[in-house]
Each structure stands twice: as C-alpha cells, then as structure tokens.
C-alpha cells in the first residue's frame, strides 16, 4: 500500500503587519529575526550563537511551493491509491519480519498495536527509503520567516531545531528531511524529536535518522503519549438512511466533542453491528468515492493518529494500511 508526504495543520498566524498570503518584507523578516534571537536568549543561547544559526540557513522557494500544494486536497478516491499499494505492503512485511523482536518489544512496552507502528514508518518514509531531501534548517527557516500563514509555528520549530542539534549533537548541515522539516524514519519535527524520541537501542543516543530501533520505539512512544488504546477499535464504517443531519458536523480537526451516542441513531448505524461503548468520544469522517460518499465513525484511536498528522485522510490511510499489514503478517 504507498508513500505519504507530511502536511501540518494550520496553526497560529504570525503577528506581522502583512496579510496571511502576502510575502513578508525585508523589514518584517529582520524584525522577526531580532525577536527570534531574544526568544532563544531566554532559552540560554547567546545572541551571536543564534545569529550565526540563522545565517547558516537559506531561503528555499521549493519549500513554499510544496507547502502550498497539500496532497490532502485530493478526494479520497484519488488519495488512497497513491498511498496504498502492494509494493508498500510487501516492504512493510519485510520490515516487520526483519525487526519483529524490536516491534514486539515496543508494542508491549508502550501498549501500542504493532501494525500501527509498522504502518506509520511505511507511510511516512517507505521504511527509510525516502526520508526527504530538503535541508531541515532551510525548510524551517523558510517557513518560519517567509511563510506568514504558519510562520509562528515553524519559527518555534526552528528554535527547537537549534536546541535539538545541541542536545543530540547532530550535524546541522547534514540534516535532511521533508519540506516541513520532519526527519528520520518516522518523520519527527524538531519539537516531537525532543519530546517523544527514545533511546530504544540503549546506545546513549536518540537517533531517529540512522537507528531503526530508536525509530520504532519513538513512534510507539509518540502514540502512547497521545493516548493510544491497544486492541481497541479505530474507526467503523457507517450506513445512512438519509443525509447527515445539520446538527452533526464532519470532523475538521477540532477536539473531540461528540460521543458515539450523539452520532448513532435509527438513521445512522454501524455497517457491521457490534457492542460499543456509546459514551466514548467520537467523530464523523466523510470519504469521497467516485460516485458516492462513505461515512465512518472515528473513535479515540483514530483521533490519536491525527495527532501525528491532522488530516483525516492521512489517518484513514494509516488505519487501512495497518489492517492490511496485520492480515498479511498473520497469514505468513
């Protein structure tokens, strides 16, 4: 099943005088740099050190171009065939077999289903086959200082990169990743690397770029820290007798506020009957097929996948790929 490019959800807009779409002026950029130097000083970096860190990064127009063409804009029927392929499934099985002991250990220690760990690494980087060719420092600098819609978030990640390089003794100029500054087998942005990476091979380093063992443990820890519930359902298909009522909204990134009982009704039922705690949090996902729409009930685990990437299409691709992996691995 196939490869996926990470897209981050819109976060706080920059407090520049320019609009959300207009490119910042040279004066705006210089103001942001001065503010950034001050922010980093509060974290223990001296001004010369941070100024040098900024000067080491370059603007990259290709990063802006990639950020403004999100893959999630595609309807589901165009999206999933790109990311769910037989080649990826074969690669996933080979990865699972090769690292079976590590995956089993991570699954047990962090209470996360093994197929989810394997699916994430496969969808993010094709099991390390494509971890990105953008210099991380340039990607985060470009988005943090030259892309107003998400500048505040990416400037923070640029600051986290400065801390990460120092903490993990990484070679800044050799760090390559996605156009959004995500690195390694599991594509962690700097803040996620700092907060969720683990030294799972016990060699004294948290190395998500070269150590598959650390990557496996870190992906499992990420899901654990966000509340994954092992052996629990993720999403269930719904059948509708009529259109979705106006009072029930399709999930678009907000915190869970519906319960299963708010969604199921005589006109909205599970496609396959099963016992389900109707008091648990839930959401509704719509998938656009060629000639009809599918509706799915997303549960807590589905929401947890969206903590990795906010797109419901991404979460559904991860889930469906994980199920294919689970079936194929059990059938060996």
């Amino acid at each position: 099943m196939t490869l996926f490019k990470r897209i981050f959800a819109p976060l706080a807009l920059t407090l520049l005088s320019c609009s959300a779409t207009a490119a910042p002026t040279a004066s705006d950029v210089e103001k942001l740099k001065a503010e950034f130097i001050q922010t980093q000083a509060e974290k223990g970096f001296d001004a010369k050190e941070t100024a040098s860190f900024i000067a080491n990064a370059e603007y990259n127009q290709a990063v802006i171009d990639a950020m403004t063409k999100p893959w999630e804009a595609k309807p589901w029927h165009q999206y999933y065939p790109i990311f769910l392929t037989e080649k990826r499934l074969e690669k996933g099985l080979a990865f699972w077999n090769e690292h079976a002991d590590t995956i089993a250990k991570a699954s047990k220690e962090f209470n996360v289903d093994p197929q989810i760990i394997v699916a994430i690494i496969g969808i993010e980087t094709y099991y390390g086959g494509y971890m990105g060719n953008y210099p991380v420092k340039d990607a985060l600098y470009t988005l943090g200082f030259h892309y107003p819609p998400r500048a505040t978030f990416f400037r923070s990640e640029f600051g986290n990169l400065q801390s990460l390089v120092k903490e993990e003794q990484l070679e800044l100029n050799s760090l390559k990743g996605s156009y959004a500054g995500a690195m390694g087998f599991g594509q962690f942005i700097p803040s996620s690397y700092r907060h969720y990476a683990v030294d799972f091979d016990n060699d004294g380093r948290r190395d998500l770029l070269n150590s598959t063992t650390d990557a496996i443990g870190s992906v499992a820890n990420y899901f654990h820290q966000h509340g994954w519930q092992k052996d629990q359902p993720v999403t269930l298909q719904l059948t509708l007798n009529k259109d979705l009522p106006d009072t029930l909204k399709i999930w678009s990134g907000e915190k869970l506020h519906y319960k299963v009982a708010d969604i199921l009704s005589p006109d909205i039922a599970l496609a396959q009957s099963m016992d389900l705690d109707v008091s648990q949090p839930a959401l509704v996902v719509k998938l656009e097929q060629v000639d009809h729409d599918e509706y799915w009930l997303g549960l807590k685990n589905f929401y947890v996948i969206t903590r990795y990437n906010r797109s419901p299409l991404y979460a559904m691709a991860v889930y469906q790929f994980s199920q294919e992996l689970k079936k194929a691995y059990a059938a060996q």
Side-chain angles (χ1 to χ4, degrees):
M1 306 203 154
T2 267
L3 177 60
F4 177 73
K5 307 253 184 180
R6 277 193 94 178
I7 308 294
F8 293 90
L11 294 172
L13 297 179
T14 182
L15 296 179
L16 287 174
S17 59
C18 58
S19 71
T21 55
T25 66
S27 176
D28 289 328
V29 172
E30 290 307 309
K31 289 179 182 178
L32 287 177
K33 288 180 179 180
E35 292 172 4
F36 181 80
I37 289 172
Q38 179 58 41
T39 298
Q40 294 303 93
E42 295 169 2
K43 298 177 182 178
F45 293 99
D46 64 50
K48 288 185 178 180
E49 186 178 9
T50 302
S52 176
F53 181 74
I54 296 173
N56 194 24
E58 298 179 353
Y59 175 84
N60 186 339
Q61 180 61 41
V63 169
I64 301 294
D65 295 341
M67 182 58 69
T68 54
K69 298 175 182 178
W71 290 38
E72 284 93 341
K74 295 179 181 293
W76 174 250
H77 64 86
Q78 293 179 5
Y79 181 91
Y80 79 83
I82 299 173
F83 305 124
L84 304 178
T85 68
E86 201 61 37
K87 287 184 177 179
R88 186 168 305 280
L89 180 59
E90 293 172 359
K91 191 79 171 177
L93 284 175
F95 182 86
W96 197 341
N97 286 326
E98 181 181 357
H99 303 286
D101 291 344
T102 301
I103 292 165
K105 178 185 175 186
S107 174
K108 182 178 180 180
E109 184 169 327
F110 295 106
N111 206 35
V112 175
D113 299 88
Q115 66 269 16
I116 286 292
I117 302 170
V118 181
I120 284 289
I121 296 174
I123 284 181
E124 288 291 340
T125 63
Y126 202 73
Y127 302 102
Y130 183 78
M131 292 195 280
N133 293 318
Y134 294 88
V136 173
K137 60 183 176 63
D138 296 347
L140 294 176
Y141 167 76
T142 299
L143 295 171
F145 293 87
H146 299 274
Y147 187 63
R150 304 184 189 181
T152 301
F153 171 71
F154 283 107
R155 208 159 48 251
S156 174
E157 289 302 319
F158 190 59
N160 273 294
L161 178 63
Q162 186 177 14
S163 297
L164 177 66
V165 167
K166 185 174 184 178
E167 292 163 356
E168 301 298 330
Q169 299 182 339
L170 301 176
E171 175 49 53
L172 176 64
N173 293 327
S174 68
L175 291 177
K176 297 290 183 66
S178 75
Y179 60 80
M183 298 167 279
F185 285 88
Q187 293 289 276
F188 278 31
I189 54 175
S191 62
S192 293
Y193 197 132
R194 294 184 69 205
H195 296 146
Y196 303 110
V198 295
D199 176 19
F200 210 53
D201 59 12
N202 297 312
D203 69 348
R205 297 189 63 215
R206 301 187 301 167
D207 184 1
L208 304 187
L209 297 102
N210 303 294
S211 171
T212 53
T213 300
D214 284 359
I216 289 165
S218 298
V219 168
N221 183 48
Y222 188 97
F223 275 78
H224 171 69
Q225 294 295 334
H226 285 84
W228 183 267
Q229 300 169 337
K230 189 177 181 182
D231 299 323
Q232 295 301 306
V234 177
T235 181
L236 303 165
Q237 191 167 1
L238 297 169
T239 57
L240 275 65
N241 293 332
K242 57 177 66 175
D243 292 340
L244 209 66
D246 293 338
T247 55
L248 196 58
K249 304 299 183 183
I250 300 298
W251 185 78
S252 59
E254 66 275 9
K255 291 183 178 180
L256 296 181
H257 59 274
Y258 291 132
K259 297 186 186 316
V260 172
D262 299 325
I263 298 170
L264 298 184
S265 71
D267 293 318
I268 304 174
L270 296 178
Q272 295 184 343
S273 297
M274 64 177 293
D275 291 333
L276 197 64
D277 177 7
V278 297
S279 68
Q280 65 181 300
L283 55 86
V284 178
V285 174
K286 182 173 78 170
L287 302 180
E288 297 179 49
Q289 300 289 14
V290 176
D291 57 359
H292 69 285
D293 292 333
E294 288 181 7
Y295 293 89
W296 291 70
L297 180 72
L299 302 172
K300 174 63 182 297
N301 280 347
F302 187 90
Y303 183 77
V304 172
I305 299 174
T306 68
R307 302 308 86 197
Y308 210 97
N309 181 302
R310 302 291 176 87
S311 164
L313 299 188
Y314 172 86
M316 187 62 73
V318 169
Y319 168 70
Q320 292 194 3
F321 183 40
S322 76
Q323 294 305 103
E324 292 298 322
L325 282 165
K326 182 180 179 181
K327 292 176 186 176
Y329 188 75
Q332 292 182 128

